[in-house]
Amino acid sequence: MFNLFNRLNKCFTVLISVLISVLILPQACTAAAKQKPATLLDIETHWARQQVEKIYALGLVSGYPDYTFRPDQQVNCLEAITMILNSCGYKEQIAKVKQVKNAPPSEYPVPWGQNYLDFALEKRFIPQGIMEIFQYDRPINRAETAAILTRVFGLTTQGNPHQFIDTNSIPETYLAAVQTVYREKIMLCYPDGSFQPLKPILRSELAATLSQAYDQGWINIEPKYKINGWISRVSEDKKDLKIEISSLKESITAAANTDCPCYFQGERFSIKKAVNYRINGILDTNKKIAYLELLEKRNFDQIKNSTYASFINLAEGEPVIMSVKDMLNNGATFPVAWDATIIDEKSKNKNPAAINIFKQLKPDQFIKIGLTENKTIKSITILDIKTTSGKVESIGRSLSLEHKTSSGSTGIKYKPFSFLYWDNARVVDKDGNNTSVKKGDSVNIYYIGEPLYENILEIKVTK
């Protein structure tokens, strides 16, 4: 009878291990798993719905087999350790750890997740205070969670302390960690200004914490699962929504479920009404949109001034910064609007949204930029530059070249030889420095415009 009981107990332990693994360990830490609903069933009215749906789309949690999340359930020590390690990208590393033959049993045996616990102990991610009273299924409190997060993220615990209304109740060993995660906006305090360090953390609170960590850049996913830009069109077929998303780099069309989570300023928002909104999104492993967050709506600022310039470089960031040389050969930098229109006069592709300015623009390329009142680039035109060269024959109201003809005779290609308003052009030497031009100089001329209406942008004096 005892043997039978022992065997049943072992079977029960294995069953619990498998079940917990399904509930806690996400199928993929890079994005949402393939076959699962767009959202969970028991969070519709919960305060943490957005945060839960975000980390669910990220694949950091999988929910329960009945597609619930149970947001108000307490998180135990082993669950917290596992979820945090998975969120920080340690899943594959832990899976690759080889078990040593004849190794002594762990000092802290657990019915599931033994490799996670051993890994965390080896890396010293768990404070000694937790291990001194360790029980894998004991609810973990907020201060202990803060301590583990600080160690896993490698946060510096120095900085100006924040005064919570219950700072005196934070255990001394965890005070620096609590202050650190609050300073880094990973864990937040309650509306009344308290941290409640000894309160067991709930699944919804841990979800909000991981969501905050992702927003602050402490949790990363592969770039192929991120999508950003602005929504230029939304259409619907029999099963899905088709969303066209444009950016300064590309224009793509991605599918989304009709109930795909979409938020603006913390509130659920209809994707069908999201045209002209700037977005950050998450793709699942099928390259389908699993989550959208609307950041701001296009403002359609009017272009107040257009100017010619030559391109120097682009600096990626928020916003993108473009460096150019103006027509006086002076350097200038301008922010580029995230919804700036881009036209390539020479390209056969007439779809401006399909142009990647990071690849299309080359140093010294002439462009026309449209600037708003606050000096933000709202439009970029890559100019179709034509060139001619020769020796200057005369300079006056117009600049004329020797031995050039604009004859329209059959078989003779048109080349302009006389240019009005040449003094509006940039004049440089072969090294790109400002200079002057005079009769007899050999020059290269860069211009735009139709025959007889040429507009010189640059005169380069070669000798």
Side-chain angles (χ1 to χ4, degrees):
M1 186 71 180
F2 175 78
N3 290 336
L4 177 62
F5 176 79
N6 194 38
R7 289 172 62 186
L8 288 173
N9 187 49
K10 287 182 178 179
C11 290
F12 179 74
T13 299
V14 171
L15 178 62
I16 290 296
S17 176
V18 172
L19 180 60
I20 293 294
S21 297
V22 170
L23 303 185
I24 300 301
L25 305 184
Q27 297 178 35
C29 285
T30 50
K34 290 184 178 181
Q35 302 296 328
K36 64 180 186 179
T39 188
L40 296 158
L41 303 179
D42 60 342
I43 58 171
E44 184 173 352
T45 60
H46 199 276
W47 66 266
R49 179 182 184 182
Q50 179 179 0
Q51 294 88 339
V52 171
E53 290 186 325
K54 182 186 294 185
I55 67 166
Y56 180 67
L58 287 167
L60 304 184
V61 296
S62 296
Y64 287 84
D66 61 355
Y67 301 118
T68 62
F69 186 71
R70 305 178 193 177
D72 296 322
Q73 183 173 293
Q74 295 177 351
V75 180
N76 68 44
C77 290
L78 193 52
E79 288 172 340
I81 292 166
T82 303
M83 291 174 69
I84 292 170
L85 290 178
N86 278 333
S87 300
C88 294
Y90 285 111
K91 182 183 179 182
E92 290 186 6
Q93 186 176 342
I94 292 171
K96 291 177 181 178
V97 175
K98 295 182 179 180
Q99 298 296 324
V100 180
K101 289 185 178 180
N102 302 319
S106 174
E107 185 179 353
Y108 301 96
V110 292
W112 63 274
Q114 188 70 60
N115 51 347
Y116 279 83
L117 179 60
D118 293 344
F119 181 85
L121 289 172
E122 180 186 348
K123 298 295 183 182
R124 299 186 178 180
F125 289 154
I126 309 176
Q128 186 60 35
I130 293 178
M131 299 313 300
E132 288 175 354
I133 57 171
F134 183 74
Q135 289 179 294
Y136 79 93
D137 57 352
R138 174 181 65 82
I140 191 168
N141 65 44
R142 286 170 53 81
E144 292 169 329
T145 304
I148 294 174
L149 287 166
T150 300
R151 293 183 177 217
V152 173
F153 288 134
L155 303 177
T156 302
T157 56
Q158 296 178 349
N160 296 327
H162 177 80
Q163 192 66 30
F164 303 101
I165 65 170
D166 57 350
T167 295
N168 292 336
S169 68
I170 301 174
E172 184 65 30
T173 53
Y174 300 136
L175 179 58
V178 169
Q179 296 283 2
T180 299
V181 294
Y182 180 81
R183 185 183 70 242
E184 298 295 339
K185 299 180 180 179
I186 296 173
M187 291 185 75
L188 306 179
C189 63
Y190 287 92
D192 64 357
S194 66
F195 189 81
Q196 301 185 32
L198 303 181
K199 176 181 177 292
I201 194 166
L202 305 180
R203 284 172 59 82
S204 55
E205 292 177 322
L206 187 53
T209 295
L210 297 177
S211 175
Q212 283 288 123
Y214 175 75
D215 290 343
Q216 300 303 318
W218 293 105
I219 293 176
N220 295 308
I221 63 173
E222 294 181 61
K224 65 182 179 180
Y225 294 114
K226 294 181 180 181
I227 188 169
N228 54 62
W230 57 276
I231 297 177
S232 52
R233 187 168 181 266
V234 177
S235 58
E236 188 173 2
D237 61 17
K238 293 181 180 179
K239 297 189 299 182
D240 296 322
L241 297 174
K242 301 295 182 184
I243 304 172
E244 293 182 15
I245 299 174
S246 303
S247 71
L248 297 176
K249 289 186 175 181
E250 61 184 350
S251 177
I252 66 170
T253 299
N257 292 332
T258 54
D259 59 346
C260 173
C262 178
Y263 286 88
F264 181 56
Q265 296 179 346
E267 300 292 334
R268 269 273 188 158
F269 198 90
S270 170
I271 294 179
K272 294 180 181 180
K273 297 179 180 179
V275 174
N276 289 322
Y277 278 85
R278 186 184 185 192
I279 61 98
N280 279 338
I282 300 165
L283 300 175
D284 66 17
T285 50
N286 291 322
K287 298 298 179 69
K288 199 170 185 178
I289 297 174
Y291 175 88
L292 281 177
E293 191 160 345
L294 311 184
L295 306 179
E296 58 182 311
K297 192 171 185 178
R298 297 182 74 189
N299 54 31
F300 296 99
D301 283 349
Q302 297 297 310
I303 293 174
K304 298 294 185 181
N305 179 41
S306 293
T307 184
Y308 297 109
S310 56
F311 174 73
I312 298 177
N313 59 40
L314 284 167
E316 291 199 56
E318 184 57 48
V320 171
I321 300 296
M322 178 182 287
S323 297
V324 299
K325 280 187 179 180
D326 63 19
M327 299 313 293
L328 296 176
N329 210 27
N330 296 321
T333 58
F334 302 99
V336 181
W338 50 266
D339 60 342
T341 57
I342 307 159
I343 298 173
D344 186 350
E345 291 186 340
K346 293 182 69 174
S347 175
K348 294 180 181 179
N349 187 350
K350 300 303 181 182
N351 178 13
I355 297 174
N356 182 340
I357 63 170
F358 290 89
K359 293 182 179 179
Q360 203 84 358
L361 289 174
K362 308 297 181 187
D364 299 323
Q365 196 166 22
F366 282 99
I367 56 176
K368 182 181 179 180
I369 54 177
L371 299 171
T372 64
E373 191 170 5
N374 65 355
K375 302 298 182 184
T376 296
I377 296 177
K378 196 71 171 180
S379 69
I380 304 167
T381 303
I382 303 172
L383 300 171
D384 183 8
I385 297 293
K386 303 176 180 67
T387 63
T388 189
S389 61
K391 186 171 288 189
V392 178
E393 181 178 66
S394 64
I395 298 180
R397 183 182 174 190
S398 65
L399 182 149
S400 299
L401 302 179
E402 294 179 356
H403 310 301
K404 295 290 179 180
T405 177
S406 57
S407 171
S409 302
T410 303
I412 300 177
K413 186 177 180 180
Y414 172 81
K415 279 284 187 179
F417 70 93
S418 183
F419 299 90
L420 290 170
Y421 309 112
W422 65 271
D423 48 346
N424 290 330
R426 178 200 298 167
V427 182
V428 297
D429 60 24
K430 59 184 179 180
D431 295 320
N433 300 313
N434 286 335
T435 188
S436 58
V437 60
K438 60 185 183 298
K439 181 179 177 179
D441 284 343
S442 295
V443 296
N444 292 334
I445 292 178
Y446 303 86
Y447 66 95
I448 57 175
E450 299 300 321
L452 305 179
Y453 295 95
E454 294 87 5
N455 179 12
I456 298 182
L457 297 183
E458 183 176 273
I459 303 170
K460 182 175 286 186
V461 180
T462 56
K463 60 179 178 180

